[in-house]
């Protein structure tokens, strides 16, 4: 049955680009604290904020566990680069590339089923097992390398990837239960900013740890211990939903539930797989997400090697400067988000135009930086670092481009869609380091690095061009299953509620 609530209809029209946004323009401050049903947000730091903080640090740990090997492998193959008292391994560039890409071999396998499992078993237990297993294996990495060499390290990284495949779908499920519509953009931004924060922290401290008396194994001990501590805190304070939390106030629970609307959770929403995979905007998302991951993970995994071999930086400076681009990206994620909301709410740009503008900023400016980096002379260290910082930091704009577009297209299936695009994108994360390993026969040769940057720039260009051409930001007709629609009008029962979803960054 159609929703005859004028307020809900007005918001549905607003999200689909109809009518004027005078209400948002005149009452923007009030909307920050009131949900669509008019329920006032409780004051102070609530349980929903506790869950957001826990998710922030969970993603911090997750990314620290992903990138710890990027710096550690530089020292593992050259003990003179840091503390020479620890074991050295005779791994060539191809072996290093296999090790660095192996995480994603397992990661892609659990992306699509993870969203369905989070709905069935709850995201809390999946996040607990995911980071608990991954953290334990991180602590065991030095021992595995000692007894089994590259083969056992690769096997370990595959299992770590399998476990981490549950993190993003589970995080999406958590936010769908805990984030009121009026706060979803803010809470989502704070939550996902943990990914870049973890990258910054791990890259910054890895060089110091490798040069310390504990040597390169301490990189894995540090990140693994942090994950184990987080797992304990998550077990104690994490919760699947407000309904299951034992100490949430009635006021806060009412605020969250009234915002999310009355939903019949007894009904099973069937995923429209055929419609999803034949949707042009969805295909654009898959291609754009894949192109982004190619460039992003090429730089993330190879930057420490580039800084050591081409720029001639020692491991401490290498690690600190490698973290700088991700610090900039973390900061810019908080800058771009309010700008995007302002442009859309004041109707300076339509939603789809805003998505394409920010996606272009996030992919084409880094593309230009990579092309510039290809021609930086070997001695121009400052210029190279500046261009690397631009190439990575400006990527933050994609949070307001393709990365939020899943929710624009189909709020009810955004988690599954993210699993699909993230699966395809992380296949690129596997291939990219392998291609780099084939191109770089001599990692001290700037000409070979130039080819690496050319490839990444070209893929960035193509990916964003597809998004500009095929991308949309309207609710798609397959958002709801047939049995959830009105038999006469075909309008989903909770269309108004679905259309009021803001965005998750």
């Amino acid at each position: 049955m159609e929703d005859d609530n004028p307020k809900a209809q007005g918001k549905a029209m607003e999200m689909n680009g109809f009518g004027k946004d005078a209400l948002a323009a005149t009452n923007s401050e009030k909307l920050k604290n009131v949900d669509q049903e008019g329920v006032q947000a409780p004051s102070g730091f609530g349980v929903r904020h506790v869950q957001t903080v826990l998710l922030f640090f969970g993603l911090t740990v997750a990314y620290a566990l992903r990138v710890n090997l990027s710096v550690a492998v530089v020292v593992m193959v050259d003990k003179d680069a840091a503390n020479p008292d620890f074991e050295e391994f005779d791994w060539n560039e191809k072996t290093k590339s296999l090790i660095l890409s192996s995480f994603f071999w397992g990661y892609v396998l659990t992306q699509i089923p993870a969203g369905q499992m989070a709905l069935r078993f709850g995201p809390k237990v999946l996040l607990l097992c995911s980071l608990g297993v991954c953290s334990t294996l991180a602590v065991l990495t030095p021992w595995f390398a000692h007894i089994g060499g590259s083969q056992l390290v690769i096997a370990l990284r595959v299992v770590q990837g399998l476990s981490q495949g549950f993190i993003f779908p589970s995080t999406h499920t958590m936010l769908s239960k805990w984030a009121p519509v009026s706060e979803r953009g803010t809470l989502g931004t704070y939550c996902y900013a943990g990914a870049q924060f973890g990258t910054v922290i791990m890259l910054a401290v890895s060089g110091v740890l490798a040069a310390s008396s504990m040597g390169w194994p301490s990189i894995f001990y540090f990140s693994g211990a942090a994950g184990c501590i987080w797992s304990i805190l998550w077990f104690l304070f994490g919760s699947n939903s407000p309904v299951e939390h034992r100490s949430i106030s009635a006021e806060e629970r009412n605020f969250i539930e009234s915002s999310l609307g009355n939903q019949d959770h007894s009904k099973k929403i069937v995923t429209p797989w055929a419609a999803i995979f034949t949707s042009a905007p969805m295909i654009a998302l898959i291609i754009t997400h894949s192109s982004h991951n190619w460039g992003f993970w090429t730089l993330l995994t190879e930057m420490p090697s580039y800084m050591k071999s081409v720029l001639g930086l020692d491991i401490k400076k290498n690690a600190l400067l490698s973290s700088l681009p991700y610090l900039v990206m973390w900061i810019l994620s908080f800058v771009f988000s309010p700008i995007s909301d302002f442009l859309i709410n004041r109707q300076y740009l339509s939603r789809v135009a805003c998505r394409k503008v920010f996606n272009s900023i996030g992919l084409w400016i880094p593309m230009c930086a990579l092309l510039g980096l290809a021609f930086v002379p070997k001695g121009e260290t400052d210029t190279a670092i500046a261009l690397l910082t631009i190439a990575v930091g400006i990527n933050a704009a994609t949070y307001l481009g393709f990365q939020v577009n899943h929710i624009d297209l189909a709020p009810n299936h955004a988690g599954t869609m993210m699993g699909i695009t993230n699966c395809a994108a992380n296949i690129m994360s596997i291939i990219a380091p392998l291609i780099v390993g084939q191109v770089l026969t001599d990692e001290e040769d700037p000409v070979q690095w130039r080819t690496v940057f050319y490839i990444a720039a070209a893929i960035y260009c193509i990916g964003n061009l597809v998004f500009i051409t095929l991308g949309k930001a309207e609710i798609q007709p397959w958002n709801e299953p047939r049995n959830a629609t009105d038999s006469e009008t075909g309008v989903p029962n909770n269309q108004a509620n679905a259309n009021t979803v803001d965005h998750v960054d």
Side-chain angles (χ1 to χ4, degrees):
M1 184 178 298
E2 290 185 287
D3 194 338
D4 56 4
N5 184 333
K7 188 180 294 183
Q9 289 179 344
K11 282 190 173 290
M13 292 170 65
E14 175 188 323
M15 291 295 291
N16 281 285
F18 300 107
K20 294 184 178 179
D21 200 15
L23 185 61
T26 57
N27 297 317
S28 58
E29 291 301 315
K30 187 179 296 184
L31 286 174
K32 292 180 181 178
N33 297 311
V34 181
D35 71 342
Q36 76 266 28
E37 297 296 329
V39 179
Q40 185 71 26
S43 60
F45 194 81
V47 175
R48 66 192 186 281
H49 301 120
V50 172
Q51 303 304 307
T52 301
V53 170
L54 286 170
L55 289 172
F56 170 87
F57 283 109
L59 285 169
T60 297
V61 169
Y63 267 71
L65 292 167
R66 288 192 197 191
V67 305
N68 55 12
L69 194 59
S70 295
V71 175
V73 74
V74 176
V75 187
M76 293 170 74
V77 299
D78 182 10
K79 64 181 181 182
D80 292 330
N83 189 331
D85 296 331
F86 290 84
E87 189 173 4
E88 181 180 88
F89 300 93
D90 185 21
W91 296 338
N92 59 26
E93 278 302 312
K94 290 183 180 179
T95 301
K96 285 169 57 179
S97 296
L98 283 171
I99 293 172
L100 290 172
S101 69
S102 58
F103 175 92
F104 300 100
W105 303 353
Y107 188 69
V108 299
L109 296 178
T110 47
Q111 286 294 314
I112 296 176
Q116 304 293 323
M117 293 179 68
L119 289 173
R120 180 174 180 180
F121 301 109
K124 178 178 178 176
V125 66
L126 291 183
L127 285 168
L128 179 65
C129 294
S130 174
L131 282 178
V133 169
C134 196
S135 301
T136 302
L137 290 175
V139 175
L140 296 174
T141 301
W143 182 60
F144 275 44
H146 173 71
I147 64 173
S150 61
Q151 292 87 353
L152 203 51
V153 172
I154 288 172
L156 179 145
R157 293 290 288 184
V158 170
V159 177
Q160 284 187 308
L162 283 167
S163 67
Q164 282 215 24
F166 294 94
I167 290 176
F168 274 96
S170 297
T171 300
H172 273 289
T173 304
M174 283 289 296
L175 285 171
S176 73
K177 304 292 186 183
W178 280 100
V181 171
S182 58
E183 299 179 355
R184 185 164 289 166
T186 301
L187 296 184
T189 297
Y190 292 160
C191 170
Y192 287 109
Q196 303 313 320
F197 187 66
T199 303
V200 169
I201 294 298
M202 197 69 252
L203 290 178
V205 304
S206 291
V208 176
L209 291 171
S212 70
S213 59
M214 296 182 291
W216 62 260
S218 62
I219 296 174
F220 300 101
Y221 299 151
F222 176 84
S223 54
C228 292
I229 292 171
W230 181 87
S231 297
I232 295 171
L233 294 174
W234 178 248
F235 176 76
L236 295 174
F237 301 109
S239 181
N240 287 319
S241 66
V243 174
E244 296 184 22
H245 199 281
R246 291 174 293 181
S247 59
I248 188 173
S249 68
E251 181 185 13
E252 183 177 11
R253 176 175 170 178
N254 180 54
F255 169 64
I256 296 171
E257 292 183 343
S258 64
S259 173
L260 298 178
N262 295 320
Q263 299 175 349
D264 185 358
H265 297 290
S266 64
K267 280 190 175 182
K268 180 181 179 181
I269 298 178
V270 179
T271 303
W273 297 106
I276 289 175
F277 281 108
T278 56
S279 166
M282 180 61 181
I283 293 170
L285 273 182
I286 293 172
I287 294 172
T288 309
H289 197 163
S290 298
S291 67
H292 169 267
N293 265 40
W294 182 290
F296 184 83
W297 284 99
T298 294
L299 291 175
L300 182 61
T301 56
E302 302 297 336
M303 194 185 303
S305 296
Y306 174 76
M307 288 187 170
K308 174 181 178 291
S309 301
V310 177
L311 303 184
L313 299 174
D314 63 54
I315 191 65
K316 286 185 180 179
K317 290 182 180 179
N318 183 336
L320 288 171
L321 290 174
S322 292
S323 69
L324 177 62
Y326 302 96
L327 176 61
V328 172
M329 186 176 181
W330 181 65
I331 294 171
L332 287 179
S333 66
F334 296 105
V335 175
F336 288 137
S337 182
I339 294 174
S340 174
D341 287 345
F342 175 81
L343 292 173
I344 292 173
N345 291 337
R346 297 299 179 92
Q347 290 191 311
Y348 291 118
L349 288 175
S350 67
R351 188 172 299 276
V352 65
C354 198
R355 297 289 181 250
K356 293 179 180 181
V357 166
F358 276 91
N359 208 69
S360 297
I361 292 171
L363 290 184
W364 278 357
I365 291 180
M367 174 193 72
C368 295
L370 287 171
L371 291 174
L373 190 63
F375 291 98
V376 173
K378 190 169 184 178
E380 295 291 332
T381 302
D382 292 343
T383 303
I385 292 171
L387 289 171
L388 281 169
T389 301
I390 293 171
V392 175
I394 301 297
N395 261 170
T398 60
Y399 285 142
L400 289 312
F402 81 87
Q403 294 199 46
V404 72
N405 195 229
H406 306 74
I407 300 175
D408 294 331
L409 298 177
N412 289 327
H413 304 293
T416 298
M417 292 164 64
M418 174 59 79
I420 293 169
T421 65
N422 210 26
C423 176
N426 281 283
I427 293 175
M428 297 301 103
S429 302
I430 296 172
I431 297 173
L434 298 177
I435 295 296
V436 171
Q438 295 294 324
V439 172
L440 290 177
T441 56
D442 178 8
E443 64 178 13
E444 295 183 0
D445 184 358
V447 175
Q448 293 185 9
W449 281 101
R450 184 177 299 173
T451 303
V452 172
F453 298 141
Y454 280 158
I455 294 172
I459 292 175
Y460 270 163
C461 180
I462 295 169
N464 190 56
L465 191 61
V466 171
F467 187 74
I468 290 174
T469 305
L470 300 177
K472 296 184 181 297
E474 298 83 22
I475 297 287
Q476 298 300 292
W478 41 265
N479 179 54
E480 295 277 349
R482 290 180 181 272
N483 62 1
T485 62
D486 184 274
S487 59
E488 296 180 359
T489 66
V491 177
N493 289 338
N494 63 342
Q495 183 70 62
N497 182 58
N499 284 345
T500 58
V501 175
D502 189 356
H503 70 263
V504 177
D505 297 295

